[in-house]
Amino acid sequence: MSERILLGGNEAAVYGAILAHCDAFFGYPITPASEIIHCAAAKFPQLNRTFLQAESEIGAINMVMGAAAAGKRAMTGSSGLGISLMQESVSYLAGSELPCVILDIMRGGPGLGNIAPEQADYNQVVKGGGHGSYNVIVLAPDSVQEMCDMTYRAFDLAERYATPVYVLADGIIGQMKECITLPPNIETRPTPPKALAPGNPRSNYFTSIYMSPEVLEEHNRRLQAKYERIRRAECGSESYLAEDADVLLVAYGICARLARKAVDELRETGVRAGLFRPTTLFPFPVAACREAAERVRKIIVVEMSAGQLIDDVRLAVECRVPVELLNRMGGNLPTVREIVERSRK
């Protein structure tokens, strides 16, 4: 479909899910993610698909789990403390190898914090906020178009690897409006994975409890092997003017858009700056980040948290390059001017 349409980021994610033939949405409203449930409430019933506002975020994610176990494409969306409430069930989903899609539109914290944008959910989502040794795929859009496209793609990834997939965006990306091109409509539900297919003995038995330590260890080893396959096959990133950069900015979400503008301003004044943007946070694009950093003098990580993305950047470059943090918190955005001045130093 080539038609252009004006949408907010949260709405665009719902459109992407619908076009990917998501069967069911379960959620609970929370700012700055509420447009997700508002849009889903309007659109899903029109298409004879399931929509239900749950009594809480805990109820919503457990409904997602039930729908996934029944072979349905299911999703939810929330923010900050709502995502925190879901973490136990995300661990269950990962342990049971059930596919689903979760939208996290990050807000200021900790605690109730505020409703302004932040990026401090990175650790609880990318590192696995529930108990146990598990990972989930995490996609990081920086535009309304990517909110749609990444949500659309997330369902295929979830089913290919039998895992929850997050679309992780800050409140600015979730609420900004841009014109986008919608992806093709999947008119009929794709064939479910073999484990979820009707008639398969496993299709009515999913579990994440294994009372034998030996059996649970084997289950964990199989999960880790799957995560390694994901690391090899699904890393995503984007570089901008990084080939000859002296200073490399690393950022995702709205910070990446601000950093790109700063790179342009710095280049105009003779400072060789570049940008590296991970589009997947798990798996983190270690090899691409390391390659982008090979010739630079310094890396500046730009993020809206106390410093979470920066840990993965330091691990990727193995301390071969100095890595500094430029950050804002509490719902404040770093400015292009701040990024430019720090880079010039």
Side-chain angles (χ1 to χ4, degrees):
M1 184 181 294
S2 58
E3 180 184 356
R4 300 279 286 173
I5 183 171
L6 178 66
L7 289 173
N10 290 333
E11 298 168 316
V14 175
Y15 274 65
I18 288 170
L19 292 169
H21 210 288
C22 176
D23 297 300
F25 180 96
F26 307 99
Y28 189 82
I30 180 172
T31 307
S34 291
E35 293 85 359
I36 294 171
I37 194 169
H38 295 165
C39 186
K43 298 298 182 183
F44 273 67
Q46 290 178 0
L47 298 167
N48 294 318
R49 302 183 196 176
T50 298
F51 169 85
L52 182 63
Q53 178 175 318
E55 73 278 10
S56 68
E57 291 88 350
I58 297 172
I61 192 65
N62 282 292
M63 292 173 188
V64 167
M65 191 186 314
K72 303 298 183 181
R73 286 192 161 185
M75 70 176 292
T76 188
S78 192
S79 178
L81 51 158
I83 295 295
S84 299
L85 289 170
M86 295 182 183
Q87 290 303 321
E88 179 183 25
S89 294
V90 174
S91 176
Y92 282 20
L93 282 155
S96 302
E97 296 189 272
L98 288 170
C100 69
V101 174
I102 305 167
L103 307 176
D104 180 0
I105 313 302
M106 294 178 281
R107 62 183 271 176
L112 288 173
N114 61 28
I115 62 174
E118 204 170 72
Q119 293 181 322
D121 288 4
Y122 185 99
N123 280 346
Q124 76 161 338
V125 170
V126 177
K127 305 301 181 183
H131 77 290
S133 299
Y134 75 92
N135 291 104
V136 294
I137 295 173
V138 184
L139 310 178
D142 79 342
S143 67
V144 177
Q145 182 70 62
E146 286 192 347
M147 283 289 286
C148 181
D149 293 345
M150 288 187 177
T151 306
Y152 182 84
R153 177 178 174 235
F155 288 93
D156 177 62
L157 290 170
E159 292 183 348
R160 188 184 313 166
Y161 294 105
T163 185
V165 176
Y166 274 90
V167 178
L168 186 66
D170 54 79
I172 295 291
I173 299 299
Q175 297 205 327
M176 68 190 297
K177 289 183 179 287
E178 293 178 320
C179 283
I180 70 168
T181 301
L182 296 175
N185 181 27
I186 300 174
E187 295 184 0
T188 58
R189 168 71 163 90
T191 303
K194 187 176 180 181
L196 301 177
N200 186 301
R202 195 191 163 196
S203 64
N204 60 3
Y205 177 73
F206 291 90
T207 186
S208 60
I209 185 168
Y210 300 89
M211 295 305 294
S212 164
E214 289 73 23
V215 174
L216 181 56
E217 182 177 46
E218 180 56 33
H219 177 61
N220 271 279
R221 291 192 185 281
R222 188 167 55 79
L223 288 177
Q224 294 305 314
K226 177 174 70 174
Y227 302 145
E228 187 57 36
R229 292 196 301 274
I230 294 171
R231 289 186 183 96
R232 291 197 300 268
E234 303 299 344
C235 288
S237 64
E238 174 185 278
S239 292
Y240 179 65
L241 300 180
E243 296 81 3
D244 65 341
D246 289 327
V247 177
L248 183 69
L249 305 176
V250 181
Y252 71 101
I254 191 61
C255 289
R257 293 178 69 135
L258 296 168
R260 181 185 286 261
K261 176 64 175 174
V263 167
D264 290 337
E265 290 194 12
L266 287 161
R267 288 276 174 170
E268 288 175 1
T269 60
V271 178
R272 292 187 301 189
L275 169 66
F276 179 79
R277 176 174 79 99
T279 57
T280 60
L281 301 178
F282 181 85
F284 190 81
V286 172
C289 182
R290 189 175 298 156
E291 181 179 357
E294 277 184 356
R295 293 168 293 279
V296 305
R297 297 182 182 180
K298 183 160 289 188
I299 294 172
I300 301 174
V301 178
V302 184
E303 57 180 309
M304 295 187 296
S305 77
Q308 296 183 13
L309 169 66
I310 192 171
D311 293 337
D312 280 333
V313 176
R314 284 172 171 153
L315 287 170
V317 301
E318 297 177 328
C319 300
R320 298 172 183 175
V321 182
V323 181
E324 293 185 0
L325 177 66
L326 191 164
N327 71 318
R328 298 297 301 272
M329 294 179 284
N332 291 304
L333 276 69
T335 66
V336 173
R337 178 56 45 200
E338 287 173 329
I339 300 170
V340 167
E341 290 178 356
R342 173 68 71 85
S343 300
R344 282 180 177 153
K345 288 182 181 179

